[in-house]
Amino acid sequence: MKKLAAELIIIVLGVLIALGFDGWRQDREELKVASEHLSDITEELRQNLCTVERVSARQLPNKIESLQVVLDFLNNPEAEVADPTELLHAFVQSALMARPWLVDNQYQALQNSGNVRLVGKLAPNLSISSVYEGPEVLFSQDERIHGDYPVV
């Protein structure tokens, strides 16, 4: 009877150790997957920042300059216009949206895979959704302010 009890205890301990090891291995795999997702998202955010910087460096100065020409004309519509084509071009440039095109493929993949919870395990204070959804809220507000001003 003692031998049977000893064998039962050994078997139970073996199963518990195996379950513990399997849980540890699974946690490591999940952290590896979360780390890969975060690396992909980091690269995607770097690319988005480059896009924002490009828009800021190239499009915004042109838009501001065109807006200034339009404002000067609107403030003094009686002034003589040297080049009507340039004024029309300024109106067109002032109406164009200087909106960066942001990519969210990796974020969508993370959501679709259901691995958002894994990222929460790896970085509990990280709010990826606000990083991706924040600009969309800002852009939608900008579009409401922009209104139906025609884009030529």
Side-chain angles (χ1 to χ4, degrees):
M1 187 70 167
K2 280 187 176 184
K3 190 174 184 178
L4 183 61
E7 286 181 18
L8 183 62
I9 290 173
I10 290 173
I11 290 172
V12 168
L13 285 176
V15 168
L16 290 175
I17 290 171
L19 286 174
F21 179 76
D22 187 53
W24 173 80
R25 185 192 54 76
Q26 187 174 2
D27 285 344
R28 284 185 51 115
E29 285 295 320
E30 287 178 347
L31 290 177
K32 181 180 174 188
V33 168
S35 180
E36 289 171 359
H37 278 297
L38 284 177
S39 294
D40 293 343
I41 285 175
T42 301
E43 184 57 35
E44 184 173 83
L45 288 174
R46 279 193 185 111
Q47 291 172 355
N48 284 342
L49 283 174
C50 288
T51 300
V52 169
E53 288 171 358
R54 257 184 278 149
V55 167
S56 176
R58 293 181 187 167
Q59 290 181 339
L60 286 180
N62 292 340
K63 184 173 178 78
I64 290 171
E65 182 181 324
S66 297
L67 281 170
Q68 189 58 52
V69 170
V70 169
L71 287 174
D72 291 345
F73 174 76
L74 292 175
N75 286 332
N76 190 6
E78 301 300 323
E80 189 174 319
V81 176
D83 185 4
T85 306
E86 186 178 313
L87 181 62
L88 286 174
H89 182 71
F91 267 98
V92 169
Q93 286 294 108
S94 71
L96 292 177
M97 301 278 289
R99 179 178 176 174
W101 52 96
L102 302 178
V103 179
D104 67 348
N105 297 335
Q106 296 301 323
Y107 176 63
Q108 293 297 329
L110 178 66
Q111 282 187 320
N112 293 339
S113 68
N115 290 333
V116 174
R117 65 177 178 77
L118 300 179
V119 173
K121 276 176 135 179
L122 189 63
N125 296 330
L126 181 64
S127 177
I128 295 175
S129 62
S130 64
V131 170
Y132 279 94
E133 294 167 14
E136 287 305 316
V137 171
L138 181 64
F139 292 150
S140 69
Q141 291 171 351
D142 179 56
E143 287 170 1
R144 276 194 300 251
I145 291 169
H146 190 266
D148 292 332
Y149 190 64
V151 176
V152 181

